[in-house]
Amino acid sequence: MSRGIMAQDKKQEFIEIRGARENNLRNVTLRIPKRQITVFTGVSGSGKSSLVFDTIATEAQRQLYENFSMMVRTFLPRYSQPDADAIRNLGMAIVVDQKRLGGGSHSTMGTITDTYTLLRQLFALIGEPFVGYANVFSFNEPIGMCPECNGIGRKLQPIVGKFYDPAKSLNEGALQGPIFDESIYPTSGYFDNDKKLADFTEEEMDLLLYGAEQKFEYDGMNRTYRGVITNFTRAYIERDLKTRSEKTQEKIRQYLTEGPCPACKGARLNKSVLSCRVNGRNIAELSSMEVGELIGVIKEIKDERAKEVVADLARRLQNLIDIGLEYLTLNRETDTLSGGEGQRVKLVKHLGSSLIDVMYIFDEPSVGLHPRDIHRLNELLQRLRDMGNTVLVVEHDPDVIQVADHIVDLGPHAGTQGGEIVYEGSYDGLLKADTVTGKFMKEAMPIKQEFRQAKEQLQLKKVNLHNLKDVSVDIPVGVLTLVTGVAGSGKSSLISEAFVAQFPDAIVVDQTAVSTNPRSNPATYTGIMDDVRNAFAKANKVNAGLFSFNSKGACENCNGLGVVYTDLSFFERVKSPCEVCGGKRFKDEVLDYKLDGKSIVDVLEMTVRQALAFFTIPEVTRILQTMHDVGLDYLTLGQPLDTLSGGECQRIKLVSELHKAGSIYVLDEPTTGLHKADTAQLLDVINNLVDSGNTVIVIEHNMDVVRNADWVIDLGPEGGSKGGQVLFAGTPADLRQARQSITSQYV
């Protein structure tokens, strides 16, 4: 008897949703069984995220935060009440999404899972010699961190020569680069401002570059002097560059060089802390071990004083192994983890919780997992359920859907043609259902019979990077190449790093998130909005800025947002449509200007399909056609990006790159967030790219995509130190016979 059936024998409780209308939902009403696994599936854009995250999760978080004091709530995220008639019987929600783990250089896999905390306790209890209590072993505490690198383990050094031109004087603009206030130096009175820097004495250059903070007076005002490098170091090195915006990081990194800290050799801790050992190893050495190796070392510790800590630590490490992360190390920085790895780390963190009757909400937890490892994920989801929790999962993977106690299929299609429940029930019932999901669950794409022949080879020779072991491999030109293998086997190291470094002209579409906000939409993100504005401006002989709700054309009452937020002091802000523009975002006079009888608002309300029939501008129609080809023809041009699903965002990003001129494309898991039906459409786009004369390299676990490749490179056999080898290179048909390959079992 299944767990789901047994649950039905008891008095079953339900989460009740009535009349949900967020985004494209059409008055959705349903009952979700509590303390069971419910999987929400359906084509990309059908409304899964709108129902699960924008409605259920948002309301659960909102109701929880209402129980905190007014003062505490001012520091918490604010959630508006979802558009629904009623939502009842919610529990406390823990959302495990695909957002990358941040935290900068001081956040590691060990710290975020609290595993490093247990490791610190272990050394405080039985480490020899005794150097202090648990806080001493933290690289985030002044008492424990290496004083040279402030616990980062790496030392960033400014490239001094990039900050000045020795052939110029201060008056001629000798200083260059990220100088905060160039006027400080010529006004300080410390230098001859007309003297070439090449003629400066050693003492003058030292003062200019490395001078300590000191006060001086200029034009009756007190000013502060710091040397150029001193100022730069204080702002961007001592305060951890990784905490700054991506734009700032990109700008500053050209002035930096990086290497292991010469004092701690990357260990992050000071000499005193590193002298403390357990069974001959210090805490940094244990943190640098892969989890699969570390658990064996921990279990060898027999000291009775640390019996409980050892047991708890081994249990945490086993959870990481169970979810397929045995190849990671505890000192791995969290911002270097992929979206899939980050999500699994979050999952492990919650497995150690003693909370029960919690509502766990997962956003495609199978992302980044090889088919071999899906069963591990399923076992963990079942463990959470069996602890007495409600588990809600948005998922496309058939193997995850199969373990659900209850399935909700949304559709029938995407966008305005979706937003309805087309099936509710068991897995067996889904297979019989007349829905897109039901149809594709019963089918698997066959291996294609004819393979393209390579024109030549792109060679990678003797690559030694991360876990890659002297790897040499040929990438065929003019065909579709799939790079696959278990998580951590070295796929990204080989292609996204080594290959791209050797072939920098390659167009890379990776997994970095689309920047989503209410002011960004498909038209602005793909770049067609500039052409649209210019077309309106030319037709009406006015400034193009009038046709932007982020510029001159914006409604002055709502500043182009279309909504107005009313701040009610300590209470939640109330969002309401702008009374002046009626939610249209533009000034009234802008709407009088027409392009072929349509206002700018009319154009932004067009679907991609409608816009294709309306526009004749070549650049616009080319991008619109690409959006159509990747299955996004139902989106409106003005739909805010923050309302799109993960799969839709992935394809929007793909569109923005596919229209570029290039001969080599690198796609990193492009099927992320895609339904099997959408995957078939994506394959058509990729094949068109190849047929147009391009070389396309795809990093992927999706077996439908693997079966349709011309050439497959399989890495492994495992992840981390047990991976980094090319196990197979050949056609998908030949891969089936490669018994040394784990992937061969699933093709």
Side-chain angles (χ1 to χ4, degrees), residues 564-577:
V564 175
Y565 292 93
T566 304
D567 197 341
L568 300 177
S569 188
F570 292 110
F571 296 96
E572 298 294 336
R573 293 189 304 171
V574 176
K575 182 175 75 172
S576 56

Side-chain angles (χ1 to χ4, degrees), residues 534-740:
N534 290 334
F536 268 93
K538 185 177 179 181
N540 296 278
K541 296 180 172 58
V542 293
N543 191 295
L546 282 172
F547 305 100
S548 170
F549 51 70
N550 296 320
S551 184
K552 297 179 179 179
C555 168
E556 294 176 350
N557 186 56
C558 64
N559 294 317
L561 278 175
V563 296
V564 175
Y565 292 93
T566 304
D567 197 341
L568 300 177
S569 188
F570 292 110
F571 296 96
E572 298 294 336
R573 293 189 304 171
V574 176
K575 182 175 75 172
S576 56
C578 175
E579 294 181 355
V580 176
C581 68
K584 294 180 178 178
R585 298 183 166 210
F586 291 92
K587 298 175 182 176
D588 283 343
E589 57 262 35
V590 176
L591 306 185
D592 294 332
Y593 299 114
K594 307 287 184 180
L595 178 67
D596 295 335
K598 302 289 186 181
S599 71
I600 186 66
V601 170
D602 295 331
V603 168
L604 290 174
E605 289 177 349
M606 289 180 178
T607 63
V608 170
R609 190 184 300 111
Q610 293 168 333
L612 260 174
F614 178 77
F615 285 106
T616 57
I617 306 169
E619 185 61 24
V620 172
T621 56
R622 185 153 61 92
I623 294 176
L624 289 173
Q625 185 62 50
T626 306
M627 292 180 71
H628 169 81
D629 293 342
V630 299
L632 296 177
D633 54 356
Y634 59 88
L635 291 183
T636 62
L637 300 187
Q639 183 173 342
L641 288 189
D642 62 356
T643 67
L644 301 187
S645 69
E648 289 169 333
C649 286
Q650 181 86 348
R651 281 179 287 168
I652 280 283
K653 185 175 180 179
L654 191 59
V655 167
S656 69
E657 300 289 347
L658 287 182
H659 70 278
K660 295 179 179 178
S663 60
I664 302 174
Y665 285 84
V666 175
L667 312 181
D668 189 0
E669 297 199 54
T671 65
T672 298
L674 293 189
H675 190 274
K676 285 174 72 74
D678 303 306
T679 299
Q681 200 163 3
L682 176 65
L683 271 170
D684 289 339
V685 174
I686 292 174
N687 280 316
N688 286 336
L689 266 180
V690 180
D691 292 337
S692 299
N694 297 293
T695 299
V696 180
I697 306 166
V698 179
I699 302 169
E700 205 35 277
H701 294 120
N702 188 303
M703 289 299 112
D704 284 339
V705 183
V706 174
R707 294 184 193 103
N708 279 269
D710 301 303
W711 195 255
V712 178
I713 298 171
D714 186 42
L715 280 83
E718 296 290 343
S721 62
K722 297 179 180 177
Q725 303 175 47
V726 175
L727 303 179
F728 171 84
T731 66
D734 292 335
L735 176 59
R736 279 187 165 175
Q737 312 305 318
R739 298 304 172 201
Q740 74 276 21

